[in-house]
Amino acid sequence: MSQPGKSILLVDDDQEIRELLDTYLSRVGFQVRAAADGAAFRQSLCAESADLVILDVMLPDEDGFSLCRWVREHQRFAQVPVIMLTASSDEADRVIGLELGADDYLGKPFSPRELLARIKALLRRAQFTQERGGEVLAFEDWRLDMVSHRLFHRDGEEVILSGADFALLKLFLDHPQQILDRDTIGNATRGREVMPLERVVDMAVSRLRQRLRDTDKPPRLIRTVRGSGYQLAATVNLQAGDGR
């Protein structure tokens, strides 16, 4: 299944890789834009957003980590899925990328077919999260707009969520008070595993807790159920409105 009309912005300083991916992804129906460095990437994304971003970690002017952080800090791009590419096999690089909000990670050399599968999985997830019409879900002191993905605290603060953050929060809100094991969480929030599933899930939950100010010891909102998984300890209500 192709994604006709979907746009991909790729940044990689290797011209051969840029040309290969441009040709391959264009053939299956994507609109591809490519940049050779961070400055060109920023300029291109600001001029025209994208449905998905592919970031190389090693670039001549700045690394992909700083670009990922920049994407996630801007409300206009915050929900755009991000796949990071790296020639390093160091797990620390993968941890950093995921903590900054990357949705997936792929090591070089890689198969274009595998990259395509991951792209499709992330775009399907992004489309699925937009299917709830104009609903606003209220829980504790928070309001989540299911269309704009905007999360508001009752004090007025808005929290920017990455695609992975939103998918995980939505999973908990769809199953309040239920214990979700790591397999369920991992399957719902990641297309493929890029490191041991337990590590990926624990990192994702920790990041979401930070977003929700759930930093008590032990956490109050998203509880750890030892030997079983995690549980959202909140009542969820459906409301109308813009999430404020």
Side-chain angles (χ1 to χ4, degrees):
M1 175 182 175
S2 63
Q3 297 281 345
K6 293 292 186 181
S7 61
I8 294 177
L9 179 53
L10 160 71
V11 56
D12 197 303
D13 62 342
D14 188 320
Q15 182 177 351
E16 187 174 334
I17 290 179
R18 291 198 308 273
E19 293 177 350
L20 169 67
L21 293 182
D22 189 345
T23 300
Y24 183 80
L25 295 174
S26 296
R27 284 178 177 171
V28 295
F30 291 104
Q31 298 177 5
V32 181
R33 309 196 316 270
D37 56 38
F41 167 79
R42 290 173 185 260
Q43 182 178 9
S44 181
L45 192 60
C46 287
E48 182 182 358
S49 190
D51 294 304
L52 183 137
V53 164
I54 301 173
L55 291 176
D56 186 23
V57 170
M58 299 299 294
L59 296 169
D61 54 349
E62 63 179 311
D63 60 47
F65 299 133
S66 64
L67 292 177
C68 184
R69 182 186 298 110
W70 175 77
V71 168
R72 291 300 178 231
E73 288 174 348
H74 288 72
Q75 181 177 316
R76 181 183 170 196
F77 317 128
Q79 284 81 44
V80 175
V82 174
I83 298 177
M84 301 198 76
L85 305 177
T86 180
S88 172
S89 60
D90 188 352
E91 185 179 290
D93 279 357
R94 300 187 178 197
V95 170
I96 293 172
L98 294 173
E99 287 181 340
L100 289 173
D103 296 277
D104 206 345
Y105 221 105
L106 193 58
K108 295 180 178 180
F110 58 86
S111 161
R113 292 182 62 186
E114 181 178 6
L115 176 61
L116 177 61
R118 296 188 183 208
I119 289 171
K120 288 182 176 181
L122 289 177
L123 290 175
R124 282 195 300 268
R125 189 183 75 185
Q127 181 177 356
F128 177 75
T129 60
Q130 297 173 2
E131 293 179 350
R132 301 193 68 147
E135 294 181 0
V136 173
L137 297 182
F139 61 103
E140 289 286 319
D141 298 327
W142 298 95
R143 303 290 183 273
L144 177 67
D145 188 305
M146 301 301 291
V147 174
S148 67
H149 298 190
R150 301 172 76 188
L151 176 67
F152 292 94
H153 192 267
R154 68 176 179 179
D155 65 10
E157 179 194 4
E158 178 179 357
V159 176
I160 295 176
L161 299 175
S162 69
D165 293 333
F166 178 84
L168 178 55
L169 179 55
K170 179 181 179 298
L171 178 65
F172 279 121
L173 295 178
D174 284 344
H175 302 87
Q177 310 294 337
Q178 297 182 31
I179 299 173
L180 303 178
D181 61 34
R182 287 181 172 85
D183 285 337
T184 299
I185 295 173
N187 290 336
T189 58
R190 309 207 73 81
R192 294 167 182 262
E193 298 171 21
V194 295
M195 64 179 67
L197 178 64
E198 181 173 337
R199 182 78 178 275
V200 171
V201 170
D202 291 346
M203 285 169 48
V205 171
S206 177
R207 187 172 62 241
L208 182 59
R209 282 171 171 163
Q210 292 293 325
R211 305 286 191 267
L212 296 173
R213 307 182 186 178
D214 191 24
T215 56
D216 293 341
K217 301 295 183 182
R220 175 181 56 84
L221 187 56
I222 300 178
R223 297 176 178 170
T224 300
V225 182
R226 191 169 183 178
S228 298
Y230 294 98
Q231 176 190 45
L232 177 69
T235 300
V236 179
N237 297 304
L238 175 63
Q239 298 183 346
D242 63 358
R244 290 183 181 274

